[in-house]
Amino acid sequence: MTTWWDEVYTGDAPAPWDIGRPQRSLVRVAERGLLSGQVLDAGCGTGEHAILASRHGADSMGIDISPAAIAKAKAKAAERGVTARFEVADVLSLGELGITFDTVVDSGLFHVFDDKDRARYVTNLGLALRTGGVCYLMCFSDRQPGEFGPRRVRQDELRAAFSDGWTVESITADTFEINPIGEATDAQAWLAVLIRR
Ligand code: SAH
């Protein structure tokens, strides 16, 4: 089945978020040694953050609903000589994979879901993250003006989504680097650090 996401990854130009390198803010997280153990890159796209975690010594895995994205991620990892596993899977059924992770990276996934799927995502994330495990989540922020791109997320929405079974360690204003859209080369984001209780 070809999904909308698959079409994005088979188009002529890379998607705005598919910048060919990891997000600067998540590189900083990795450089602090925080992407460690078994790491899941949820909605990994072409795999930059799974590759980043691997390069920092993690046993990393990326999953995405788009087969085209996963094919690109596998090719990229092979080309760069990095060991990271990639699989086509739906994060809304993550609990069924039966794998538990120490760390999760979510770069631009949380903000794609409507309210119903958001709740389902958080439940499944909770099933896949061990107690004490940490999720580093970057989403579009309500501080981003204009209409382009995904839905904006407010801090209080993040706190509400992760109110049951999680500790919201911090939510920090940050930026997404994007492929240029007009004159814009970045977009306002929140970087949330969420601990599974
Ligand atoms: N993390 C990547 C991609 C962000 S775009 C990056 O930083 O570049 C959001 C990604 O989530 C897309 O690759 C899309 O295919 C994927 N996605 C959307 N819904 C999904 C779902 N239900 N399960 C798994 N992946 C999903």
PDB file of all heavy atoms in Angstrom, residues 40-80:
ATOM      1  N   LEU A  40      15.518   3.692  20.234  1.00  0.00           N
ATOM      2  CA  LEU A  40      14.531   3.670  19.152  1.00  0.00           C
ATOM      3  C   LEU A  40      14.405   5.063  18.551  1.00  0.00           C
ATOM      4  O   LEU A  40      14.189   6.035  19.273  1.00  0.00           O
ATOM      5  CB  LEU A  40      13.159   3.238  19.680  1.00  0.00           C
ATOM      6  CG  LEU A  40      12.009   3.364  18.664  1.00  0.00           C
ATOM      7  CD1 LEU A  40      12.171   2.335  17.541  1.00  0.00           C
ATOM      8  CD2 LEU A  40      10.655   3.197  19.336  1.00  0.00           C
ATOM      9  N   ASP A  41      14.540   5.140  17.231  1.00  0.00           N
ATOM     10  CA  ASP A  41      14.234   6.363  16.490  1.00  0.00           C
ATOM     11  C   ASP A  41      12.828   6.159  15.931  1.00  0.00           C
ATOM     12  O   ASP A  41      12.627   5.422  14.965  1.00  0.00           O
ATOM     13  CB  ASP A  41      15.282   6.554  15.381  1.00  0.00           C
ATOM     14  CG  ASP A  41      15.107   7.838  14.582  1.00  0.00           C
ATOM     15  OD1 ASP A  41      14.154   8.583  14.859  1.00  0.00           O
ATOM     16  OD2 ASP A  41      15.942   8.078  13.684  1.00  0.00           O
ATOM     17  N   ALA A  42      11.839   6.770  16.577  1.00  0.00           N
ATOM     18  CA  ALA A  42      10.426   6.543  16.227  1.00  0.00           C
ATOM     19  C   ALA A  42      10.015   7.462  15.080  1.00  0.00           C
ATOM     20  O   ALA A  42      10.166   8.677  15.187  1.00  0.00           O
ATOM     21  CB  ALA A  42       9.546   6.792  17.449  1.00  0.00           C
ATOM     22  N   GLY A  43       9.518   6.874  13.991  1.00  0.00           N
ATOM     23  CA  GLY A  43       9.206   7.677  12.799  1.00  0.00           C
ATOM     24  C   GLY A  43      10.506   8.223  12.240  1.00  0.00           C
ATOM     25  O   GLY A  43      10.674   9.422  12.056  1.00  0.00           O
ATOM     26  N   CYS A  44      11.426   7.296  11.959  1.00  0.00           N
ATOM     27  CA  CYS A  44      12.834   7.665  11.696  1.00  0.00           C
ATOM     28  C   CYS A  44      13.054   8.332  10.350  1.00  0.00           C
ATOM     29  O   CYS A  44      14.120   8.894  10.121  1.00  0.00           O
ATOM     30  CB  CYS A  44      13.724   6.438  11.809  1.00  0.00           C
ATOM     31  SG  CYS A  44      13.357   5.152  10.578  1.00  0.00           S
ATOM     32  N   GLY A  45      12.069   8.248   9.430  1.00  0.00           N
ATOM     33  CA  GLY A  45      12.309   8.808   8.105  1.00  0.00           C
ATOM     34  C   GLY A  45      13.522   8.138   7.486  1.00  0.00           C
ATOM     35  O   GLY A  45      13.642   6.907   7.494  1.00  0.00           O
ATOM     36  N   THR A  46      14.455   8.939   6.978  1.00  0.00           N
ATOM     37  CA  THR A  46      15.638   8.357   6.333  1.00  0.00           C
ATOM     38  C   THR A  46      16.764   8.058   7.329  1.00  0.00           C
ATOM     39  O   THR A  46      17.909   7.857   6.929  1.00  0.00           O
ATOM     40  CB  THR A  46      16.143   9.249   5.174  1.00  0.00           C
ATOM     41  OG1 THR A  46      16.562  10.508   5.709  1.00  0.00           O
ATOM     42  CG2 THR A  46      15.049   9.480   4.141  1.00  0.00           C
ATOM     43  N   GLY A  47      16.452   8.036   8.620  1.00  0.00           N
ATOM     44  CA  GLY A  47      17.313   7.374   9.598  1.00  0.00           C
ATOM     45  C   GLY A  47      18.394   8.181  10.289  1.00  0.00           C
ATOM     46  O   GLY A  47      19.192   7.609  11.039  1.00  0.00           O
ATOM     47  N   GLU A  48      18.414   9.499  10.115  1.00  0.00           N
ATOM     48  CA  GLU A  48      19.548  10.277  10.651  1.00  0.00           C
ATOM     49  C   GLU A  48      19.761  10.107  12.156  1.00  0.00           C
ATOM     50  O   GLU A  48      20.899  10.076  12.616  1.00  0.00           O
ATOM     51  CB  GLU A  48      19.363  11.766  10.342  1.00  0.00           C
ATOM     52  CG  GLU A  48      19.545  12.130   8.888  1.00  0.00           C
ATOM     53  CD  GLU A  48      20.978  11.903   8.381  1.00  0.00           C
ATOM     54  OE1 GLU A  48      21.919  11.813   9.195  1.00  0.00           O
ATOM     55  OE2 GLU A  48      21.131  11.808   7.157  1.00  0.00           O
ATOM     56  N   HIS A  49      18.668  10.008  12.933  1.00  0.00           N
ATOM     57  CA  HIS A  49      18.868   9.984  14.388  1.00  0.00           C
ATOM     58  C   HIS A  49      19.221   8.588  14.896  1.00  0.00           C
ATOM     59  O   HIS A  49      19.941   8.461  15.887  1.00  0.00           O
ATOM     60  CB  HIS A  49      17.657  10.619  15.088  1.00  0.00           C
ATOM     61  CG  HIS A  49      17.453  12.035  14.632  1.00  0.00           C
ATOM     62  ND1 HIS A  49      16.493  12.369  13.698  1.00  0.00           N
ATOM     63  CD2 HIS A  49      18.156  13.163  14.901  1.00  0.00           C
ATOM     64  CE1 HIS A  49      16.600  13.674  13.435  1.00  0.00           C
ATOM     65  NE2 HIS A  49      17.588  14.165  14.156  1.00  0.00           N
ATOM     66  N   ALA A  50      18.772   7.541  14.194  1.00  0.00           N
ATOM     67  CA  ALA A  50      19.231   6.183  14.528  1.00  0.00           C
ATOM     68  C   ALA A  50      20.725   6.069  14.208  1.00  0.00           C
ATOM     69  O   ALA A  50      21.504   5.503  14.983  1.00  0.00           O
ATOM     70  CB  ALA A  50      18.437   5.141  13.744  1.00  0.00           C
ATOM     71  N   ILE A  51      21.118   6.652  13.092  1.00  0.00           N
ATOM     72  CA  ILE A  51      22.539   6.634  12.699  1.00  0.00           C
ATOM     73  C   ILE A  51      23.371   7.435  13.706  1.00  0.00           C
ATOM     74  O   ILE A  51      24.435   6.992  14.148  1.00  0.00           O
ATOM     75  CB  ILE A  51      22.707   7.171  11.251  1.00  0.00           C
ATOM     76  CG1 ILE A  51      22.087   6.173  10.258  1.00  0.00           C
ATOM     77  CG2 ILE A  51      24.167   7.449  10.927  1.00  0.00           C
ATOM     78  CD1 ILE A  51      21.997   6.664   8.821  1.00  0.00           C
ATOM     79  N   LEU A  52      22.850   8.583  14.114  1.00  0.00           N
ATOM     80  CA  LEU A  52      23.525   9.410  15.129  1.00  0.00           C
ATOM     81  C   LEU A  52      23.746   8.602  16.414  1.00  0.00           C
ATOM     82  O   LEU A  52      24.853   8.588  16.971  1.00  0.00           O
ATOM     83  CB  LEU A  52      22.666  10.647  15.422  1.00  0.00           C
ATOM     84  CG  LEU A  52      23.083  11.532  16.590  1.00  0.00           C
ATOM     85  CD1 LEU A  52      24.359  12.300  16.247  1.00  0.00           C
ATOM     86  CD2 LEU A  52      21.963  12.519  16.960  1.00  0.00           C
ATOM     87  N   ALA A  53      22.688   7.927  16.874  1.00  0.00           N
ATOM     88  CA  ALA A  53      22.798   7.149  18.124  1.00  0.00           C
ATOM     89  C   ALA A  53      23.818   6.024  17.956  1.00  0.00           C
ATOM     90  O   ALA A  53      24.636   5.772  18.849  1.00  0.00           O
ATOM     91  CB  ALA A  53      21.428   6.597  18.509  1.00  0.00           C
ATOM     92  N   SER A  54      23.784   5.367  16.812  1.00  0.00           N
ATOM     93  CA  SER A  54      24.754   4.293  16.536  1.00  0.00           C
ATOM     94  C   SER A  54      26.177   4.809  16.623  1.00  0.00           C
ATOM     95  O   SER A  54      27.055   4.168  17.201  1.00  0.00           O
ATOM     96  CB  SER A  54      24.536   3.778  15.113  1.00  0.00           C
ATOM     97  OG  SER A  54      24.024   2.498  15.149  1.00  0.00           O
ATOM     98  N   ARG A  55      26.381   5.958  16.032  1.00  0.00           N
ATOM     99  CA  ARG A  55      27.731   6.554  16.035  1.00  0.00           C
ATOM    100  C   ARG A  55      28.189   6.890  17.444  1.00  0.00           C
ATOM    101  O   ARG A  55      29.378   7.007  17.701  1.00  0.00           O
ATOM    102  CB  ARG A  55      27.760   7.812  15.175  1.00  0.00           C
ATOM    103  CG  ARG A  55      27.748   7.463  13.705  1.00  0.00           C
ATOM    104  CD  ARG A  55      28.094   8.676  12.871  1.00  0.00           C
ATOM    105  NE  ARG A  55      28.486   8.272  11.541  1.00  0.00           N
ATOM    106  CZ  ARG A  55      28.236   8.969  10.436  1.00  0.00           C
ATOM    107  NH1 ARG A  55      27.593  10.108  10.510  1.00  0.00           N
ATOM    108  NH2 ARG A  55      28.648   8.536   9.271  1.00  0.00           N
ATOM    109  N   HIS A  56      27.244   7.046  18.354  1.00  0.00           N
ATOM    110  CA  HIS A  56      27.584   7.327  19.746  1.00  0.00           C
ATOM    111  C   HIS A  56      27.538   6.056  20.580  1.00  0.00           C
ATOM    112  O   HIS A  56      27.428   6.107  21.803  1.00  0.00           O
ATOM    113  CB  HIS A  56      26.671   8.418  20.311  1.00  0.00           C
ATOM    114  CG  HIS A  56      27.062   9.785  19.830  1.00  0.00           C
ATOM    115  ND1 HIS A  56      27.862  10.635  20.553  1.00  0.00           N
ATOM    116  CD2 HIS A  56      26.807  10.416  18.656  1.00  0.00           C
ATOM    117  CE1 HIS A  56      28.067  11.742  19.857  1.00  0.00           C
ATOM    118  NE2 HIS A  56      27.436  11.637  18.701  1.00  0.00           N
ATOM    119  N   GLY A  57      27.580   4.897  19.908  1.00  0.00           N
ATOM    120  CA  GLY A  57      27.742   3.626  20.627  1.00  0.00           C
ATOM    121  C   GLY A  57      26.456   2.924  21.004  1.00  0.00           C
ATOM    122  O   GLY A  57      26.497   1.873  21.658  1.00  0.00           O
ATOM    123  N   ALA A  58      25.307   3.473  20.611  1.00  0.00           N
ATOM    124  CA  ALA A  58      24.040   2.830  20.986  1.00  0.00           C
ATOM    125  C   ALA A  58      23.728   1.664  20.055  1.00  0.00           C
ATOM    126  O   ALA A  58      24.252   1.573  18.949  1.00  0.00           O
ATOM    127  CB  ALA A  58      22.919   3.864  20.920  1.00  0.00           C
ATOM    128  N   ASP A  59      22.857   0.798  20.566  1.00  0.00           N
ATOM    129  CA  ASP A  59      22.310  -0.287  19.752  1.00  0.00           C
ATOM    130  C   ASP A  59      20.987   0.280  19.219  1.00  0.00           C
ATOM    131  O   ASP A  59      19.981   0.266  19.914  1.00  0.00           O
ATOM    132  CB  ASP A  59      22.091  -1.497  20.664  1.00  0.00           C
ATOM    133  CG  ASP A  59      21.344  -2.606  19.973  1.00  0.00           C
ATOM    134  OD1 ASP A  59      21.204  -2.567  18.745  1.00  0.00           O
ATOM    135  OD2 ASP A  59      20.887  -3.528  20.689  1.00  0.00           O
ATOM    136  N   SER A  60      21.018   0.809  18.011  1.00  0.00           N
ATOM    137  CA  SER A  60      19.851   1.589  17.621  1.00  0.00           C
ATOM    138  C   SER A  60      19.019   0.964  16.520  1.00  0.00           C
ATOM    139  O   SER A  60      19.505   0.202  15.690  1.00  0.00           O
ATOM    140  CB  SER A  60      20.252   3.010  17.236  1.00  0.00           C
ATOM    141  OG  SER A  60      20.999   2.997  16.059  1.00  0.00           O
ATOM    142  N   MET A  61      17.756   1.333  16.572  1.00  0.00           N
ATOM    143  CA  MET A  61      16.784   0.825  15.617  1.00  0.00           C
ATOM    144  C   MET A  61      15.867   1.976  15.209  1.00  0.00           C
ATOM    145  O   MET A  61      15.448   2.772  16.044  1.00  0.00           O
ATOM    146  CB  MET A  61      15.960  -0.261  16.306  1.00  0.00           C
ATOM    147  CG  MET A  61      14.848  -0.814  15.464  1.00  0.00           C
ATOM    148  SD  MET A  61      14.088  -2.185  16.358  1.00  0.00           S
ATOM    149  CE  MET A  61      12.890  -2.684  15.129  1.00  0.00           C
ATOM    150  N   GLY A  62      15.582   2.048  13.921  1.00  0.00           N
ATOM    151  CA  GLY A  62      14.640   3.054  13.433  1.00  0.00           C
ATOM    152  C   GLY A  62      13.425   2.361  12.871  1.00  0.00           C
ATOM    153  O   GLY A  62      13.548   1.345  12.189  1.00  0.00           O
ATOM    154  N   ILE A  63      12.251   2.901  13.183  1.00  0.00           N
ATOM    155  CA  ILE A  63      11.048   2.369  12.540  1.00  0.00           C
ATOM    156  C   ILE A  63      10.267   3.511  11.904  1.00  0.00           C
ATOM    157  O   ILE A  63      10.263   4.643  12.391  1.00  0.00           O
ATOM    158  CB  ILE A  63      10.145   1.553  13.497  1.00  0.00           C
ATOM    159  CG1 ILE A  63       9.527   2.439  14.564  1.00  0.00           C
ATOM    160  CG2 ILE A  63      10.885   0.391  14.119  1.00  0.00           C
ATOM    161  CD1 ILE A  63       8.442   1.710  15.338  1.00  0.00           C
ATOM    162  N   ASP A  64       9.650   3.171  10.793  1.00  0.00           N
ATOM    163  CA  ASP A  64       8.836   4.160  10.089  1.00  0.00           C
ATOM    164  C   ASP A  64       7.748   3.423   9.334  1.00  0.00           C
ATOM    165  O   ASP A  64       7.923   2.267   8.933  1.00  0.00           O
ATOM    166  CB  ASP A  64       9.702   4.965   9.111  1.00  0.00           C
ATOM    167  CG  ASP A  64       9.050   6.290   8.719  1.00  0.00           C
ATOM    168  OD1 ASP A  64       8.104   6.263   7.894  1.00  0.00           O
ATOM    169  OD2 ASP A  64       9.456   7.344   9.258  1.00  0.00           O
ATOM    170  N   ILE A  65       6.641   4.108   9.116  1.00  0.00           N
ATOM    171  CA  ILE A  65       5.514   3.498   8.419  1.00  0.00           C
ATOM    172  C   ILE A  65       5.745   3.472   6.901  1.00  0.00           C
ATOM    173  O   ILE A  65       5.077   2.725   6.191  1.00  0.00           O
ATOM    174  CB  ILE A  65       4.215   4.247   8.782  1.00  0.00           C
ATOM    175  CG1 ILE A  65       3.017   3.335   8.588  1.00  0.00           C
ATOM    176  CG2 ILE A  65       4.073   5.554   8.012  1.00  0.00           C
ATOM    177  CD1 ILE A  65       1.802   3.753   9.368  1.00  0.00           C
ATOM    178  N   SER A  66       6.704   4.241   6.432  1.00  0.00           N
ATOM    179  CA  SER A  66       6.950   4.330   4.989  1.00  0.00           C
ATOM    180  C   SER A  66       8.065   3.378   4.542  1.00  0.00           C
ATOM    181  O   SER A  66       9.233   3.559   4.915  1.00  0.00           O
ATOM    182  CB  SER A  66       7.337   5.773   4.625  1.00  0.00           C
ATOM    183  OG  SER A  66       8.025   5.787   3.390  1.00  0.00           O
ATOM    184  N   PRO A  67       7.738   2.379   3.710  1.00  0.00           N
ATOM    185  CA  PRO A  67       8.785   1.495   3.185  1.00  0.00           C
ATOM    186  C   PRO A  67       9.852   2.260   2.402  1.00  0.00           C
ATOM    187  O   PRO A  67      11.035   1.907   2.461  1.00  0.00           O
ATOM    188  CB  PRO A  67       8.019   0.533   2.264  1.00  0.00           C
ATOM    189  CG  PRO A  67       6.608   0.536   2.775  1.00  0.00           C
ATOM    190  CD  PRO A  67       6.391   1.936   3.280  1.00  0.00           C
ATOM    191  N   ALA A  68       9.446   3.318   1.696  1.00  0.00           N
ATOM    192  CA  ALA A  68      10.430   4.088   0.921  1.00  0.00           C
ATOM    193  C   ALA A  68      11.439   4.760   1.854  1.00  0.00           C
ATOM    194  O   ALA A  68      12.639   4.784   1.570  1.00  0.00           O
ATOM    195  CB  ALA A  68       9.716   5.139   0.070  1.00  0.00           C
ATOM    196  N   ALA A  69      10.953   5.285   2.985  1.00  0.00           N
ATOM    197  CA  ALA A  69      11.851   5.921   3.957  1.00  0.00           C
ATOM    198  C   ALA A  69      12.818   4.887   4.528  1.00  0.00           C
ATOM    199  O   ALA A  69      14.022   5.139   4.648  1.00  0.00           O
ATOM    200  CB  ALA A  69      11.041   6.568   5.084  1.00  0.00           C
ATOM    201  N   ILE A  70      12.291   3.716   4.865  1.00  0.00           N
ATOM    202  CA  ILE A  70      13.138   2.675   5.465  1.00  0.00           C
ATOM    203  C   ILE A  70      14.192   2.188   4.463  1.00  0.00           C
ATOM    204  O   ILE A  70      15.356   1.979   4.829  1.00  0.00           O
ATOM    205  CB  ILE A  70      12.260   1.508   5.999  1.00  0.00           C
ATOM    206  CG1 ILE A  70      11.465   1.984   7.224  1.00  0.00           C
ATOM    207  CG2 ILE A  70      13.090   0.268   6.330  1.00  0.00           C
ATOM    208  CD1 ILE A  70      12.314   2.417   8.436  1.00  0.00           C
ATOM    209  N   ALA A  71      13.817   2.060   3.200  1.00  0.00           N
ATOM    210  CA  ALA A  71      14.797   1.658   2.175  1.00  0.00           C
ATOM    211  C   ALA A  71      15.921   2.694   2.104  1.00  0.00           C
ATOM    212  O   ALA A  71      17.109   2.348   2.042  1.00  0.00           O
ATOM    213  CB  ALA A  71      14.106   1.503   0.826  1.00  0.00           C
ATOM    214  N   LYS A  72      15.549   3.978   2.159  1.00  0.00           N
ATOM    215  CA  LYS A  72      16.565   5.042   2.110  1.00  0.00           C
ATOM    216  C   LYS A  72      17.449   5.007   3.353  1.00  0.00           C
ATOM    217  O   LYS A  72      18.656   5.212   3.279  1.00  0.00           O
ATOM    218  CB  LYS A  72      15.905   6.420   1.997  1.00  0.00           C
ATOM    219  CG  LYS A  72      15.355   6.680   0.605  1.00  0.00           C
ATOM    220  CD  LYS A  72      14.955   8.131   0.445  1.00  0.00           C
ATOM    221  CE  LYS A  72      14.579   8.377  -1.013  1.00  0.00           C
ATOM    222  NZ  LYS A  72      14.203   9.751  -1.305  1.00  0.00           N
ATOM    223  N   ALA A  73      16.834   4.757   4.509  1.00  0.00           N
ATOM    224  CA  ALA A  73      17.598   4.708   5.766  1.00  0.00           C
ATOM    225  C   ALA A  73      18.615   3.565   5.726  1.00  0.00           C
ATOM    226  O   ALA A  73      19.778   3.741   6.107  1.00  0.00           O
ATOM    227  CB  ALA A  73      16.648   4.544   6.947  1.00  0.00           C
ATOM    228  N   LYS A  74      18.177   2.410   5.262  1.00  0.00           N
ATOM    229  CA  LYS A  74      19.090   1.259   5.181  1.00  0.00           C
ATOM    230  C   LYS A  74      20.259   1.552   4.241  1.00  0.00           C
ATOM    231  O   LYS A  74      21.409   1.254   4.562  1.00  0.00           O
ATOM    232  CB  LYS A  74      18.329   0.021   4.676  1.00  0.00           C
ATOM    233  CG  LYS A  74      17.447  -0.628   5.736  1.00  0.00           C
ATOM    234  CD  LYS A  74      16.771  -1.872   5.182  1.00  0.00           C
ATOM    235  CE  LYS A  74      15.973  -2.573   6.281  1.00  0.00           C
ATOM    236  NZ  LYS A  74      15.058  -3.596   5.744  1.00  0.00           N
ATOM    237  N   ALA A  75      19.961   2.149   3.091  1.00  0.00           N
ATOM    238  CA  ALA A  75      21.010   2.457   2.116  1.00  0.00           C
ATOM    239  C   ALA A  75      21.995   3.472   2.700  1.00  0.00           C
ATOM    240  O   ALA A  75      23.216   3.347   2.553  1.00  0.00           O
ATOM    241  CB  ALA A  75      20.381   3.000   0.837  1.00  0.00           C
ATOM    242  N   LYS A  76      21.455   4.463   3.416  1.00  0.00           N
ATOM    243  CA  LYS A  76      22.295   5.508   4.009  1.00  0.00           C
ATOM    244  C   LYS A  76      23.229   4.922   5.064  1.00  0.00           C
ATOM    245  O   LYS A  76      24.421   5.234   5.099  1.00  0.00           O
ATOM    246  CB  LYS A  76      21.376   6.559   4.639  1.00  0.00           C
ATOM    247  CG  LYS A  76      21.975   7.925   4.765  1.00  0.00           C
ATOM    248  CD  LYS A  76      21.095   8.792   5.633  1.00  0.00           C
ATOM    249  CE  LYS A  76      20.049   9.546   4.846  1.00  0.00           C
ATOM    250  NZ  LYS A  76      19.344  10.538   5.697  1.00  0.00           N
ATOM    251  N   ALA A  77      22.672   4.059   5.928  1.00  0.00           N
ATOM    252  CA  ALA A  77      23.496   3.446   6.990  1.00  0.00           C
ATOM    253  C   ALA A  77      24.608   2.604   6.367  1.00  0.00           C
ATOM    254  O   ALA A  77      25.772   2.660   6.809  1.00  0.00           O
ATOM    255  CB  ALA A  77      22.624   2.608   7.920  1.00  0.00           C
ATOM    256  N   ALA A  78      24.276   1.838   5.314  1.00  0.00           N
ATOM    257  CA  ALA A  78      25.271   0.980   4.657  1.00  0.00           C
ATOM    258  C   ALA A  78      26.368   1.851   4.034  1.00  0.00           C
ATOM    259  O   ALA A  78      27.564   1.596   4.212  1.00  0.00           O
ATOM    260  CB  ALA A  78      24.599   0.119   3.600  1.00  0.00           C
ATOM    261  N   GLU A  79      25.936   2.907   3.369  1.00  0.00           N
ATOM    262  CA  GLU A  79      26.884   3.825   2.713  1.00  0.00           C
ATOM    263  C   GLU A  79      27.838   4.453   3.723  1.00  0.00           C
ATOM    264  O   GLU A  79      29.013   4.652   3.463  1.00  0.00           O
ATOM    265  CB  GLU A  79      26.032   4.929   2.085  1.00  0.00           C
ATOM    266  CG  GLU A  79      26.630   5.712   0.961  1.00  0.00           C
ATOM    267  CD  GLU A  79      25.565   6.678   0.454  1.00  0.00           C
ATOM    268  OE1 GLU A  79      24.600   6.224  -0.207  1.00  0.00           O
ATOM    269  OE2 GLU A  79      25.675   7.875   0.781  1.00  0.00           O
ATOM    270  N   ARG A  80      27.321   4.768   4.913  1.00  0.00           N
ATOM    271  CA  ARG A  80      28.149   5.429   5.935  1.00  0.00           C
ATOM    272  C   ARG A  80      28.848   4.419   6.850  1.00  0.00           C
ATOM    273  O   ARG A  80      29.521   4.823   7.803  1.00  0.00           O
ATOM    274  CB  ARG A  80      27.283   6.375   6.774  1.00  0.00           C
ATOM    275  CG  ARG A  80      26.687   7.501   5.950  1.00  0.00           C
ATOM    276  CD  ARG A  80      25.959   8.469   6.848  1.00  0.00           C
ATOM    277  NE  ARG A  80      25.131   9.406   6.096  1.00  0.00           N
ATOM    278  CZ  ARG A  80      24.247  10.232   6.648  1.00  0.00           C
ATOM    279  NH1 ARG A  80      24.088  10.239   7.955  1.00  0.00           N
ATOM    280  NH2 ARG A  80      23.536  11.055   5.913  1.00  0.00           N
TER     281      ARG A  80
END
